C-alpha cells in the first residue's frame, strides 16, 4: 500500500487545510500585484473592542469586525510584509517539507529572508498571531510551536507517524516516570486507548512529581498533566482533545492565588490573545484548588497578598469568565483573607497528605457540588 | 581747616580715569573696542559720502602683548587742518541734533588714540585725504590729557598721485589678542552680514586673510538730522535750549526747537501746561520749566516722532547680506514701520534664516543682534531679542528639535535703549518688545510655510523609499507562497500613493 492511499491521520488533515488556506492568501496577493495594484487582505479585528466572552462556545472570541490591511498604506506596509513572510515560511519551509519551528526559530529565520525584518521576537510573534487570525487556524496547525516545557504522565496510548522512520508508532504515556514532553507530535497524535477516567492538570513541577511518586495516577485513575505555569497552547489543545475525544473530565490543581485561578480559567475559557482561535478551551474543566477556603480548612502556611495580588483579584471579580457562583465566592474569600498559599504547602502536613487526604476529600466535595448544581 | 581743591577735569582726563565707561576695561575688551571704534569710523566716513566702503584692516603683533592695528578706507577723508582735533581731542564737535549714528560711545577714534598712548606711549599715525585733494596729510598724534588738546609729533604732506581719498590709521594697543580674536572675528563677520554693500579685507594677527565682497551696490542713506521730539526732553536739556533761544515767545520757541510742533500744537500745549504763549522763554521761572518738561511727557496730542532721521538696513539689503554670509536655504525678513518710545523713534528689523551648512544646528536659534548696524556680542541673554525668542514655541513653527535657525535683529534708533552702560544689550521696553515680537511672528509664519513644505516633502520621500524597499519583498514572499515562478513587477511604486496618515 502506498503512502498516498493510506488513511489520513488527524494531523495530516489539519496540515492540508492550513496549507491550502496559506497558499490561497499568497495567490490572492500575487494576483493583485500582477494587476499593478497595492495588494490588501482582510482579517478579524483583534482589538479589545472586538473581543468578547461568547456564552455559546463558553470561550473568549473575536467579534464580527474586520480590518483591511493594505500595502498601499505606509503604516501597514511593514506588518503586511511580515505577515507575508510568516505565511510563506509556514507553507513552503515548514508544512511542505514537514518541518516544525519554534517561535524563536522563525524570528531568526527571518534574517536570511530580509535583514532586520523584525525588531524583536515580540514582533514576529505578533505576525504569527496575524496569520492565525487571517486563516482562522492556530500556529501549531502550520507547524510553529512554542518551546515545549509542559509534560504528561498516565495511562494513555497514542499513535503517530514517526517522521524519521516513516513508520507508525505507538507510545504509552506512562512509559517515562519523569513525564512525557508535550511536543507538536504528541499534540497531534491519535488517541488509541486509555484506562483513565479523568485528567488532573497540575501547576507546579514539584507537585506533579510528588503525585507520580505517590502513584496518584493509579489511585485516582487519572492522567496527570504538568502545566508549568500558564499552560502552553499545545498543552491546552491536548487537554481539550482528551476532554472531547475521550470524554475525560478535567480537574485543574493550582496554587491558591489569583494567578493560579487564572491558569485554570485560561484552560477553561481561553485568553484574549488567542480569542481568534477555537479548539484550545475546555469549558467544562473544574477548578479543584487550592481554594482560599482550603487555606483555612487545612490551616496551610501562607504568604501575605501583595498589592499586585489584590489588584488582580479585583480584576478577576469583574471578569466575565469568573461569573460562576463558586468562583465568585472564592474570590471574595481571597479579598477577606488577603493571603495566598502554594500547592506544595500541603506537604507541610506530610509528604503523602495530598494523595491520602486532600485529593480524596476534594473529589468528594466536587461531586457533592456537582449534584447540587453549584459547578 | 584743610583746603579742598576743586579741579575741573578735561574730557580726556575724565576718560583717562574712567576708561571702562568707554569699553576699555580688560586687555581683551580694550583690543576689541579699539578695533571696532576705528572700523566704525571708516564705515561712517564712506557712507556719509555715499561711497561703497572699501576697508582694509590688519592686526599684527608688535611686541609681547602689544598689537598694531592698521586700517585704511575710501571715505570722504578729513580735511588736513582738522585731522589733529578729529582724532586727538575727545568729544570734538558734539552732536546736538538727533540722528541715528553708529558712534558707539560718541568718542570715535580719539578714545583709541588715548588708550594707545597710555598703554604704549606711542603716537598714532594718521593719513588723510579728502576727495579731489592734491596732497595727503600725514600726522603722528598724541593727546595732552590734562588740557584735552592734540600734540602733533610730526606732520608732513605727501603728493596724492593715485587720487586716493579716505583715512588710514595705524595705532598700537596693549591687549590680549588670543582672547579677543574670537570676538574680533565674530564682529567683522557680523558687520559684513549687515553691510553687503562694502568690501572688507581683514588680516588677523595669525596672518590669516578674510575677504568680504560686496554683493549690492546701494549704499544706505544716512538718517537726516532732526530737531528733538518734545517727549524725549529732560530739564537739563530744556534749560540749555532756553539759554541759547533767540525766540521772543514761548510759542515760537516751541515751533522752532522741536520737531513736528506747529502753531496749533504749541498753543494747545501751552494751554495744557498753563503758560502764556507770549511769554519770553528766558523769563520762565523754575516752576514753569518743570511744569513744561513734565507736560511734554504727559501731553497726548504731539505728533509721533519724525522718522526720516532713521536709517534701517532694509529687507533687500539685509537678505542679501545674510544670504552671502550664512548661505541659508530659506530667508524671511521684515522692516517694521517706525514706532517711538519716550519720544525716540525706532525701527525694528528681523530676519530669519534657516538651513544650510553655516548656521549651527542647535536646540535654540542662533541670534545675531545689531543696534544701529553695530553687532552686539556681549550680554546676549539679557537682551530683549533673546527674551522674545524664549517666549516662542518653535515647535509650533515646525522648527525641528535641532534645527539650524538663525535670527537676525536690528534696532535703528536715535537713542537705543541699552540696558547698561556697557551698551551690549537692549532693554525690554514694552514698545520695543512688542515690535520685536510682531516682527518675529511675521518671519516665523513665513518660515513655517517653508518648513511645513520641507516636512511634507521629506515625509513623502521617506514614504516612497519605504514602498520601494518593502514592496519587492512582499512580491517575493507572495510569489513563493503562491508557488508561482515569476515575481510580479512593483515599479508602480514610483507614482507614490498617499497614505492615509
Amino acid at each position: 500500500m502506498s503512502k498516498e492511499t493510506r488513511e489520513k491521520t488527524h494531523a495530516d488533515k489539519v496540515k492540508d487545510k492550513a496549507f491550502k488556506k496559506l497558499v490561497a492568501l499568497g495567490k490572492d496577493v500575487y494576483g493583485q500585484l500582477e494587476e499593478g495594484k497595492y495588494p490588501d487582505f482582510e482579517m478579524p479585528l483583534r482589538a479589545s473592542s472586538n473581543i468578547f466572552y461568547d456564552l455559546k462556545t463558553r470561550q473568549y472570541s473575536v467579534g464580527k469586525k474586520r480590518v483591511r490591511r493594505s500595502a498601499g498604506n505606509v503604516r501597514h506596509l511593514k506588518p503586511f510584509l511580515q505577515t507575508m513572510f510568516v505565511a510563506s515560511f509556514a507553507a513552503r519551509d515548514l508544512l511542505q517539507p514537514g518541518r516544525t519551528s519554534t517561535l524563536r526559530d522563525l524570528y531568526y529565520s527571518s534574517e536570511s529572508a530580509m535583514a532586520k525584518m523584525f525588531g524583536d521576537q515580540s514582533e514576529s510573534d505578533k505576525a504569527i498571531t496575524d496569520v492565525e487570525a487571517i486563516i482562522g487556524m492556530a500556529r501549531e496547525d502550520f507547524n510553529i510551536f512554542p518551546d515545549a516545557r509542559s509534560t504528561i504522565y498516565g495511562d494513555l496510548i497514542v499513535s503517530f507517524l514517526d517522521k524519521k522512520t516513516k513508520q507508525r508508532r505507538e507510545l504509552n504515556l506512562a512509559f517515562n516516570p519523569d513525564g512525557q514532553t508535550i511536543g507538536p507530535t504528541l499534540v497531534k497524535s491519535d488517541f488509541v486507548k486509555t484506562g483513565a477516567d479523568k485528567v488532573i492538570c497540575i501547576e507546579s513541577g514539584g507537585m506533579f512529581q510528588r503525585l507520580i511518586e505517590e502513584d496518584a495516577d493509579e489511585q485516582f485513575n487519572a492522567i496527570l498533566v504538568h502545566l508549568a505555569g500558564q499552560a502552553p497552547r499545545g498543552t491546552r489543545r491536548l487537554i481539550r482533545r482528551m476532554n472531547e475525544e475521550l470524554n475525560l473530565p478535567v480537574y485543574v490543581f493550582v496554587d491558591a492565588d489569583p494567578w493560579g485561578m487564572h491558569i485554570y480559567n485560561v484552560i477553561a475559557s481561553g485568553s484574549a490573545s488567542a480569542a481568534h482561535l477555537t479548539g484550545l478551551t475546555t469549558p467544562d474543566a473544574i477548578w479543584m484548588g487550592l481554594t482560599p477556603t482550603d487555606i483555612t480548612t487545612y490551616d496551610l502556611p501562607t504568604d501575605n497578598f501583595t498589592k499586585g495580588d489584590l489588584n488582580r483579584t479585583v480584576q478577576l471579580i469583574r471578569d466575565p469568565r469568573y461569573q460562576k457562583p463558586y468562583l465568585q465566592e472564592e474570590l471574595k474569600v481571597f479579598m477577606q483573607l488577603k493571603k495566598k498559599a502554594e500547592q506544595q504547602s500541603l506537604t507541610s502536613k506530610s509528604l503523602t497528605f495530598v494523595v491520602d487526604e486532600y485529593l480524596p476529600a476534594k473529589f468528594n466535595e466536587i461531586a457533592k457540588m456537582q449534584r447540587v448544581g453549584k459547578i | 581747616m584743610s583746603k579742598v581743591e576743586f579741579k575741573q577735569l578735561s574730557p580726556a582726563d575724565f576718560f583717562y580715569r574712567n576708561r571702562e565707561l568707554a569699553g576699555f576695561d580688560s586687555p581683551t575688551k580694550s583690543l576689541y573696542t579699539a578695533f571696532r571704534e576705528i572700523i566704525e569710523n571708516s564705515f561712517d566716513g564712506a557712507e556719509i559720502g555715499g561711497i561703497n566702503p572699501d576697508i582694509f584692516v590688519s592686526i599684527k603683533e608688535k611686541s609681547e602683548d602689544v598689537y598694531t592695528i592698521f586700517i585704511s578706507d575710501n571715505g570722504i577723508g578729513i580735511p588736513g587742518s582738522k585731522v589733529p582735533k578729529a582724532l586727538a581731542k575727545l568729544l570734538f564737535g558734539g552732536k546736538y541734533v538727533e540722528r541715528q549714528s553708529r558712534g558707539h560711545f560718541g568718542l570715535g577714534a580719539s578714545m583709541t588714540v588715548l588708550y594707545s598712548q597710555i598703554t604704549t606711549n606711542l603716537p598714532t599715525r594718521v593719513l588723510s585725504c579728502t576727495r579731489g585733494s592734491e596732497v595727503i596729510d600725514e600726522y603722528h598724534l598724541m593727546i595732552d590729557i590734562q588740557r584735552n588738546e592734540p600734540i602733533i609729533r610730526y606732520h608732513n604732506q605727501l603728493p596724492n598721485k593715485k587720487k586716493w581719498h579716505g583715512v588710514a590709521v595705524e595705532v598700537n594697543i596693549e591687549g590680549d589678542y588670543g582672547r579677543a580674536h574670537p570676538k574680533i572675528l565674530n564682529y567683522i563677520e557680523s558687520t559684513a552680514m549687515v553691510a553687503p554693500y562694502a568690501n572688507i579685507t581683514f588680516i588677523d594677527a595669525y596672518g590669516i586673510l578674510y575677504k568680504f565682497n560686496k554683493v549690492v551696490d546701494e549704499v544706505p542713506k544716512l538718517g537726516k538730522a532732526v530737531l528733538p521730539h518734545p517727549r524725549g526732553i529732560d530739564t537739563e536739556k530744556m534749560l540749555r535750549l532756553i539759554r541759547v533761544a533767540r525766540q521772543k515767545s514761548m510759542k515760537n520757541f516751541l515751533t522752532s526747537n522741536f520737531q513736528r510742533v506747529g502753531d496749533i500744537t504749541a498753543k494747545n500745549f501751552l494751554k495744557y501746561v498753563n503758560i502764556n504763549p507770549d511769554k519770553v522763554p528766558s523769563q520762565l521761572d523754575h516752576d514753569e520749566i518743570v511744569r513744561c518738561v513734565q507736560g511734554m511727557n504727559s501731553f497726548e496730542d504731539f505728533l509721533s516722532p519724525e522718522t526720516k532721521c532713521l536709517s534701517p538696513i532694509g529687507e533687500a539689503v539685509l537678505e542679501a547680506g545674510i544670504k552671502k554670509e550664512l548661505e541659508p536655504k530659506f530667508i524671511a525678513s521684515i522692516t517694521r514701520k517706525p514706532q517711538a518710545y519716550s519720544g525716540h523713534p525706532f525701527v525694528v528689523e528681523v530676519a530669519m534664516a534657516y538651513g544650510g551648512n553655516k548656521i549651527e544646528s542647535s536646540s535654540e536659534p542662533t541670534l545675531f543682534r545689531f543696534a544701529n548696524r553695530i553687532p552686539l556680542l556681549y550680554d546676549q541673554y539679557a537682551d530683549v531679542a533673546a527674551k522674545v525668542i524664549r517666549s516662542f514655541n518653535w515647535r509650533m513653527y515646525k522648527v525641528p528639535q535641532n534645527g539650524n535657525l538663525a535670527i537676525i535683529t536690528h534696532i535703528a534708533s536715535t537713542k537705543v535703549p541699552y540696558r547698561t552702560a556697557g551698551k551690549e544689550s537692549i532693554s525690554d521696553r514694552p514698545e520695543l518688545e512688542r515690535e520685536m515680537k510682531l516682527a518675529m511672528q511675521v518671519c516665523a509664519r513665513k518660515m513655517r510655510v517653508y518648513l511645513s513644505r520641507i516636512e511634507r516633502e521629506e515625509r513623502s520621500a521617506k514614504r516612497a523609499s519605504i514602498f520601494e524597499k518593502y514592496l519587492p519583498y512582499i512580491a517575493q514572499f507572495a510569489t513563493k507562497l503562491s508557488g508561482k515562478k515569476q515575481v510580479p513587477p512593483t515599479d508602480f511604486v514610483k507614482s507614490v500613493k498617499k497614505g492615509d496618515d
Side-chain angles (χ1 to χ4, degrees), chain A residues 96-148:
Chain A
Q96 198 171 19
R99 286 205 178 82
T100 65
S101 158
T102 63
L103 297 172
R104 196 147 190 80
D105 279 336
L106 180 134
Y107 168 63
Y108 283 121
S109 301
S110 71
E111 279 293 312
S112 67
M114 177 190 177
K116 305 244 159 49
M117 189 193 304
F118 298 109
D120 54 38
Q121 201 195 318
S122 72
E123 251 181 64
S124 65
D125 289 357
K126 197 172 163 287
I128 293 167
T129 312
D130 284 346
V131 173
E132 288 184 318
I134 294 163
I135 67 169
M137 296 178 78
R139 62 190 177 214
E140 290 81 3
D141 299 335
F142 45 88
N143 284 6
I144 296 172
F145 299 89
D147 292 332

Side-chain angles (χ1 to χ4, degrees), chain A residues 59-297:
Chain A
Q59 76 157 80
Y60 252 176
S61 294
V62 172
K64 288 207 174 67
K65 285 182 212 157
R66 295 176 74 78
V67 284
R68 179 162 291 276
R69 184 165 282 171
S70 166
N73 181 328
V74 77
R75 280 173 306 164
H76 290 179
L77 199 55
K78 198 161 188 192
F80 194 110
L81 174 143
Q82 293 170 338
T83 308
M84 290 308 291
F85 166 74
V86 171
S88 73
F89 181 79
R92 300 294 173 183
D93 295 322
L94 299 179
L95 290 173
Q96 198 171 19
R99 286 205 178 82
T100 65
S101 158
T102 63
L103 297 172
R104 196 147 190 80
D105 279 336
L106 180 134
Y107 168 63
Y108 283 121
S109 301
S110 71
E111 279 293 312
S112 67
M114 177 190 177
K116 305 244 159 49
M117 189 193 304
F118 298 109
D120 54 38
Q121 201 195 318
S122 72
E123 251 181 64
S124 65
D125 289 357
K126 197 172 163 287
I128 293 167
T129 312
D130 284 346
V131 173
E132 288 184 318
I134 294 163
I135 67 169
M137 296 178 78
R139 62 190 177 214
E140 290 81 3
D141 299 335
F142 45 88
N143 284 6
I144 296 172
F145 299 89
D147 292 332
R149 55 190 162 90
S150 192
T151 50
I152 185 165
Y153 181 86
D155 180 18
L156 172 64
I157 297 167
V158 297
S159 87
F160 55 91
L161 182 74
D162 187 332
K163 270 184 293 202
K164 299 224 161 186
T165 60
K166 311 274 185 227
Q167 302 259 309
R168 272 205 94 70
R169 282 183 49 185
E170 290 197 348
L171 177 68
N172 190 331
L173 298 184
F175 182 73
N176 184 348
D178 294 335
Q180 181 65 45
T181 304
I182 302 176
T185 313
L186 182 53
V187 172
K188 291 187 197 165
S189 65
D190 297 314
F191 299 145
V192 179
K193 199 175 132 224
T194 182
D197 62 14
K198 62 174 80 64
V199 177
I200 306 178
C201 305
I202 300 121
E203 176 177 352
S204 74
M207 182 53 76
F208 176 69
Q209 283 307 325
R210 169 112 340 268
L211 295 186
I212 295 175
E213 227 173 280
E214 305 303 333
D215 298 327
D217 55 311
E218 288 172 21
Q219 188 180 333
F220 303 107
N221 207 14
I223 296 168
L224 306 179
V225 177
H226 173 214
L227 302 174
Q230 194 58 264
R233 283 192 193 175
T235 305
R236 278 152 60 194
R237 180 176 298 274
L238 187 67
I239 293 168
R240 153 84 171 234
R241 287 188 56 212
M242 289 191 288
N243 176 253
E244 208 173 46
E245 297 174 27
L246 303 173
N247 273 317
L248 301 181
V250 173
Y251 298 86
V252 185
F253 180 23
V254 290
D255 289 344
D257 56 38
W259 314 97
M261 264 183 109
H262 200 62
I263 288 172
Y264 152 72
N265 223 318
V266 168
I267 289 172
S269 314
S271 61
S273 64
H276 55 289
L277 300 172
T278 55
L280 291 182
T281 57
T282 312
D284 288 324
I286 295 160
W287 176 54
M288 69 185 305
L290 291 179
T291 64
T293 309
D294 292 338
I295 294 177
T296 38
T297 310

Side-chain angles (χ1 to χ4, degrees), chain A residues 30 71 73 77-78 92-93, chain B residues 466-467 470 480-481 486 500:
Chain A
Y30 186 93
N73 181 328
L77 199 55
K78 198 161 188 192
R92 300 294 173 183
D93 295 322
Chain B
I466 290 173
F467 280 107
Y470 289 166
K480 181 177 166 186
L481 177 57
Q486 203 167 355
D500 49 355

Side-chain angles (χ1 to χ4, degrees), chain A residues 22-23 25-27 29-30 33-34 36-39 70-75 77-78 80-81 84-85 87-88 91-93 113-114 117, chain B residues 463 466-467 469-471 473-490 492-493 495-501:
Chain A
L22 290 171
V23 171
L25 170 69
K27 283 184 175 157
V29 170
Y30 186 93
L33 280 168
E34 261 189 329
K37 283 202 308 203
Y38 286 89
S70 166
N73 181 328
V74 77
R75 280 173 306 164
L77 199 55
K78 198 161 188 192
F80 194 110
L81 174 143
M84 290 308 291
F85 166 74
S88 73
R92 300 294 173 183
D93 295 322
M114 177 190 177
M117 189 193 304
Chain B
R463 183 184 287 128
I466 290 173
F467 280 107
K469 186 177 164 196
Y470 289 166
L471 264 188
Y473 280 106
I474 290 177
Q476 184 193 319
F477 295 146
T479 309
K480 181 177 166 186
L481 177 57
S482 60
K484 308 260 191 209
K485 292 278 174 297
Q486 203 167 355
V487 178
T490 53
F492 57 87
V493 168
S495 56
V496 171
K497 175 181 164 180
K498 266 199 179 157
D500 49 355
D501 53 342

Side-chain angles (χ1 to χ4, degrees), chain B residues 7 34 62 81 94 101 104 144 152 218-219 244 260 269 276 298 363 376 384 392 412 447 461:
Chain B
K7 197 171 72 181
K62 185 181 171 71
S81 59
S101 63
H104 198 46
D144 179 338
I152 301 167
E218 186 198 343
V219 180
V244 298
R260 309 195 73 181
F269 173 70
N276 184 350
S298 60
S363 56
L376 305 179
V384 60
F392 270 61
M447 182 171 65

Side-chain angles (χ1 to χ4, degrees), chain B residues 260-299:
Chain B
R260 309 195 73 181
V261 178
D263 284 351
I264 294 168
T265 310
K267 251 203 294 224
N268 288 345
F269 173 70
L270 289 168
K271 200 175 162 197
Y272 173 73
V273 293
N274 197 17
I275 293 172
N276 184 350
D278 296 325
K279 189 148 191 174
V280 181
S282 56
Q283 311 260 302
L284 288 184
D285 63 24
H286 175 75
D287 278 357
E288 283 171 322
I289 290 170
V290 170
R291 211 158 68 226
C292 190
V293 171
Q294 283 173 349
M296 281 179 165
N297 282 308
S298 60
F299 184 64

Side-chain angles (χ1 to χ4, degrees), chain B residues 36-55:
Chain B
R36 63 185 287 175
E37 286 290 359
I38 60 176
I39 283 199
E40 281 155 20
N41 261 16
S42 286
F43 265 103
D44 285 342
E47 285 170 18
I48 284 174
I51 303 163
N52 287 102
D54 195 337
I55 294 168

